Amino acid sequence: MSAPSIAPAATTVGNPAINIGIFALFVVVTLAIVIRASRNNRSAAEYYAGGRAFTGRQNGIAIAGDYLSAASFLGIAGAIALNGYDGFLYSIGFLVAWLVALLLVAELLRNVGKYTMADVLSFRLRQRPVRIAAAISTLVVSFFYLLAQMAGAGGLVALLLGIEGAAGQRLVIAVVGVIMIFYVIYGGMKGTTWVQIIKAVLLIIGAGIMTVWVLGKFGLNLSSLLGDASTASQSAGGKDLLQPGLQYKNPIDFISLSMALVLGTAGLPHVLMRFYTVPTSREARRSVVWAIWLIGIFYLFTLVLGFGAADLVGAAEIKNAPGAVNSAAPLLAFKLGGEILLGIISAVAFATILAVVAGLTITASASLSHDIYNTVVKQGQATPEQEVKVARIAALVLGAIAIVGGIFALGQNIAFLVALAFAIAASANLPTILYSLFWKRFNTRGALWSIYGGLVSAITLIIFSPVVSGKAIDPATKKSPSMLQGVDFHWFPLDNPGIVSIPLGFLLGYIGTVTSKEYNAAKYAEMEVRSLTGHGAEAATHH
């Protein structure tokens, strides 16, 4: 591969004009699709659930699109490039998590609920308090996840467009936010789903091409790639990438992270909401099987891309790039295919961010309008038209908050921010969902204790963990890996609170239930029949 004729400035990678062109093309095409898909968004079922008209395969690809976020692509490839074996553990955790979602949650949720997670939780409990709690939890998880995506967008686009300084990156985050708000307000779930399907296909093909290309440089031999990457890392003064323990010195820290990743998926509101876009529970199951295959193949690609970046790009160059850890995949694309491949891969990563952010925003806005506005403010009397109108206003406000939050989160490792969202989802949402579906005695007090207890404990432990303050300064970057520099108020020793907050969420749900006599046997019987047979479940709306 000959070097490009115009030597790019040290900070930019590739040619900003080509990158902007490819970005713009992608945005124009998806906007056209969103506008076309949004023609039927008259009813609430159309806006929130795409009319429940997607097949299992389409929904499975869209779930993969929703789930393979910028963290999966940029954060994990970077983590593997710098920490080898330990970085790959993220991939394994994210993938195994799907089995929990498939076996315990997908089909039953599809049968019981209507649009949001709170529909399931409040089915046999007191509506108002449970819906408010579920909506708060949905908003907090979505907010953490949104932060991660927006931070990724800022760093990535700054790298590609050669934008120096924080002001330019902030502008980029604002532009991403505005495009995403348009997708959600106009396209609703249907437009958002199509964006996710296109993006998932592009991402998996792009990563697949790069994987074959990297392996081609090593005679299509995976073990020689791993060996070379490890040797290159050691000769540059780094550690052996094939040894565990580069990132997680403390095994308890690792167990805590694994618990959050494996149990968090089944409690992520934006993933749960995707199960409502299919016509039957059988299609809900099919969609998870499709998602598992696609996501599994993609995570095998990240292994090759991460080690390929470690060997061909090198740890020093990755650490010094504007997006640091998150720039490993774009830098590898530039090494392999020059400006064009870099532009395409970056546009795909950018698409990834847009699609995931749109999915999160529609989930959070649905929760605000369907759970809070309709049930709490209007006592369940709002018309579907009013609900959709409020959802659109909520999307606008949430988009603005996401832009501001993303500006503050610039420069954080995205995979790590996402792991925090998973910890909160696993602590607050999962215990309540499982108890609701499977435990006859479960009642309103149990639900509230488990949601609020899991939420408060997870967030408190995160605030007082080394992630926020108190990590030693890294000699290479002259900065501490913690979010706040130069202060130390941490007393909780682990990076991820999962090992404490998840069992606590389950325990509080149990204690709350056992100490309260309230219990609705008839409603549980109805819910059990409905969840297992689909009798009385929401049907697809055909036009």
Side-chain angles (χ1 to χ4, degrees), residues 126-134 376 444 448 452:
R126 287 203 311 265
Q127 291 274 336
R128 282 188 63 151
V130 174
R131 275 195 190 268
I132 293 174
V376 180
T444 305
L448 297 179
Y452 288 129

Coordinates of all heavy atoms in Angstrom, one line a residue, residues 126-134 376 444 448 452:
R126 N -49.6 -1.9 41.5 CA -50.3 -0.6 41.4 C -49.6 0.2 40.4 O -48.4 0.4 40.4 CB -50.2 0.1 42.8 CG -51.1 -0.6 43.8 CD -51.4 0.4 44.9 NE -50.2 1.1 45.5 CZ -49.5 0.6 46.5 NH1 -50.0 -0.4 47.2 NH2 -48.4 1.2 46.9
Q127 N -50.4 0.8 39.4 CA -49.9 1.4 38.2 C -49.0 2.6 38.5 O -47.8 2.6 38.1 CB -51.0 1.9 37.4 CG -51.8 0.8 36.7 CD -51.2 0.4 35.4 OE1 -50.5 1.1 34.7 NE2 -51.5 -0.9 35.0
R128 N -49.5 3.6 39.3 CA -48.8 4.9 39.3 C -47.3 4.7 39.9 O -46.4 5.1 39.2 CB -49.6 5.9 40.1 CG -50.7 6.5 39.3 CD -51.3 7.6 40.0 NE -50.4 8.7 40.3 CZ -50.7 10.0 40.4 NH1 -52.0 10.3 40.3 NH2 -49.8 10.9 40.6
P129 N -47.2 4.2 41.2 CA -45.8 4.2 41.7 C -44.9 3.4 40.9 O -43.7 3.7 40.7 CB -46.0 3.6 43.1 CG -47.4 3.0 43.1 CD -48.2 3.7 42.1
V130 N -45.4 2.2 40.4 CA -44.5 1.3 39.6 C -44.1 2.0 38.3 O -42.9 1.9 37.9 CB -45.1 0.0 39.4 CG1 -44.3 -0.9 38.5 CG2 -45.4 -0.7 40.8
R131 N -45.0 2.6 37.6 CA -44.7 3.2 36.3 C -43.7 4.4 36.5 O -42.8 4.6 35.7 CB -45.9 3.8 35.7 CG -46.6 2.7 34.8 CD -47.6 3.3 33.9 NE -48.4 2.3 33.3 CZ -48.1 1.7 32.2 NH1 -47.1 2.0 31.5 NH2 -48.9 0.7 31.7
I132 N -43.9 5.2 37.6 CA -42.9 6.3 37.8 C -41.5 5.7 38.1 O -40.6 6.2 37.5 CB -43.4 7.1 39.1 CG1 -44.7 7.8 38.7 CG2 -42.3 8.1 39.5 CD1 -45.3 8.6 39.9
A133 N -41.4 4.6 38.9 CA -40.1 4.1 39.2 C -39.5 3.5 38.0 O -38.3 3.7 37.7 CB -40.3 2.9 40.3
A134 N -40.3 2.8 37.2 CA -39.7 2.2 35.9 C -39.3 3.2 35.0 O -38.3 3.1 34.3 CB -40.8 1.2 35.3
V376 N -49.7 8.9 34.8 CA -49.6 9.7 36.0 C -50.3 11.1 35.9 O -51.1 11.5 36.7 CB -48.1 9.9 36.4 CG1 -48.0 10.7 37.7 CG2 -47.4 8.6 36.6
T444 N -46.2 -4.6 44.9 CA -45.8 -3.3 44.5 C -44.6 -2.8 45.4 O -43.6 -2.3 44.9 CB -46.9 -2.3 44.7 OG1 -48.0 -2.8 43.9 CG2 -46.6 -0.9 44.3
L448 N -40.9 -1.5 44.0 CA -40.3 -0.2 44.3 C -39.0 -0.3 45.0 O -38.0 0.4 44.7 CB -41.3 0.6 45.1 CG -42.6 0.9 44.4 CD1 -43.6 1.7 45.3 CD2 -42.4 1.6 43.1
Y452 N -35.7 1.2 43.1 CA -35.0 2.3 43.7 C -33.8 1.9 44.4 O -32.7 2.6 44.3 CB -36.0 3.1 44.6 CG -37.0 3.9 43.9 CD1 -38.4 3.7 44.3 CD2 -36.7 4.8 42.9 CE1 -39.4 4.5 43.6 CE2 -37.7 5.5 42.3 CZ -39.0 5.3 42.6 OH -40.0 6.0 42.0

